[in-house]
Amino acid sequence: MQVREMIAKAPCEPEEKILLSHVADVLERSRSRNIPTFTDFLSPREQALVRSVLNMYDCTFWGGREDAERTVCISLPDYLDKTWLYTSEAPLTALRAEFSDREKLTHRDFLGSLMGCGIQRSAVGDILVSEHSADFFVTRAMAPYIRQNLLSAGRVKLSVSEIDLSEVRIPEQKVTEQRDTVASLRLDAVCASAFRLSREKAAIAIQAGRVSLNNLPCEKPDKAVGEGDSISLRGAGKALLAEVSGKTKKGRIAIVLRRYV
């Protein structure tokens, strides 16, 4: 089946099909010219779509650090390996925006200020906010523009400088672990356990399109969930099925879930 035909048949929105066509063009350019090429930053859902629909391409998802949420899709020619991603020739760099010790800023403050500078969300990767600074990932081509234009977040003045990827400060993410038992590893059962819902309410949320399994919407309450799968509920957060421990004496399945706060 041709790439365009696969994109046309993909179960996604029209604007996502346009994105997939663009990504295919970028990856095909690398294949035909034997050069490194890369996309804009992709959300977790967009990455999942690329992996699912464009799996005929050999590509790497890179966001400037391991476990980045937002990444670009990069196609590397045979003469380059992944160590190249850390060099000064690679497409991504990091910026640090520092502000006064007396002020408190959030992820939303920085995102709003970036958008206010006319910068598209797809031009910026993860934004990591610490106590008196925020580090974020951008393409090298975009970095000079951001340094010149990102002067404040609201009324708070910022001092923006470029830093090496190895210098990025990664805030500690709050994760809660919960142990439970479920009647089965159906999506509605595991979702109910993860987000403290009744199974009926979990099923309603799934059928309403509010739940994603491994970053892709899933409207089937009976979809099987396995160890390592992630579940997101719009408005409630994200959980990972970290462990399936077997059955209890009552025939229920013991599981360990990690909730990201």
Side-chain angles (χ1 to χ4, degrees):
M1 188 183 297
Q2 296 295 320
V3 174
R4 301 301 171 190
E5 187 178 353
M6 294 182 68
I7 292 173
K9 292 184 176 181
C12 56
E13 299 299 322
E15 60 270 21
E16 292 173 328
K17 294 181 189 291
I18 294 173
L19 172 71
L20 287 170
S21 294
H22 172 68
V23 173
D25 289 341
V26 171
L27 299 179
E28 191 59 44
R29 193 183 319 129
S30 176
R31 178 184 287 181
S32 62
R33 299 183 185 179
N34 201 33
I35 58 173
T37 60
F38 61 96
T39 67
D40 290 338
F41 285 94
L42 305 175
S43 69
R45 170 174 168 76
E46 291 166 342
Q47 295 166 44
L49 283 172
V50 171
R51 286 189 173 98
S52 174
V53 180
L54 302 179
N55 54 22
M56 72 291 296
Y57 291 104
D58 183 15
C59 57
T60 297
F61 293 89
W62 174 240
R65 67 182 181 102
E66 297 298 330
D67 302 322
E69 182 173 276
R70 295 180 61 81
T71 70
V72 297
C73 179
I74 298 180
S75 179
L76 297 176
D78 293 339
Y79 58 85
L80 293 177
D81 60 29
K82 292 183 181 180
T83 59
W84 178 78
L85 299 173
Y86 292 91
T87 70
S88 60
E89 296 178 352
L92 300 189
T93 188
L95 297 177
R96 174 168 294 160
E98 297 180 286
F99 51 94
S100 168
D101 294 353
R102 299 186 299 274
E103 306 291 348
K104 290 188 179 295
L105 293 174
T106 65
H107 182 283
R108 180 178 294 182
D109 293 323
F110 284 100
L111 184 58
S113 295
L114 287 163
M115 302 303 105
C117 293
I119 299 164
Q120 298 293 321
R121 185 64 183 100
S122 59
V124 182
D126 289 353
I127 302 172
L128 308 173
V129 182
S130 299
E131 192 170 354
H132 305 304
S133 66
D135 294 349
F136 48 96
F137 302 93
V138 298
T139 62
R140 291 190 186 278
M142 181 61 70
Y145 178 85
I146 295 177
R147 290 185 62 187
Q148 292 172 11
N149 291 276
L150 186 63
L151 304 177
S152 64
R155 296 181 179 180
V156 178
K157 292 183 178 180
L158 302 175
S159 174
V160 181
S161 59
E162 187 170 352
I163 60 173
D164 191 83
L165 294 179
S166 62
E167 299 178 77
V168 169
R169 297 169 182 160
I170 302 176
E172 184 178 354
Q173 187 171 21
K174 294 182 180 179
V175 180
T176 61
E177 188 172 282
Q178 58 194 58
R179 297 179 179 271
D180 200 359
T181 62
V182 291
S184 72
L185 292 176
R186 286 170 44 126
L187 180 57
D188 56 356
V190 180
C191 181
S193 173
F195 300 105
R196 305 301 191 189
L197 302 172
S198 69
R199 192 160 173 175
E200 180 182 3
K201 287 185 177 180
I204 291 172
I206 294 166
Q207 291 168 333
R210 294 175 52 214
V211 174
S212 292
L213 178 61
N214 295 325
N215 299 312
L216 288 176
C218 183
E219 298 180 6
K220 298 180 179 179
D222 62 349
K223 179 73 173 179
V225 181
E227 193 171 276
D229 286 343
S230 64
I231 301 172
S232 301
L233 173 61
R234 194 182 308 153
K238 184 176 182 179
L240 176 75
L241 180 55
E243 185 181 328
V244 178
S245 304
K247 290 191 176 183
T248 66
K249 292 180 180 179
K250 295 184 178 180
R252 291 175 66 84
I253 302 171
I255 60 173
V256 177
L257 291 155
R258 293 195 185 114
R259 279 281 304 278
Y260 297 91
V261 182

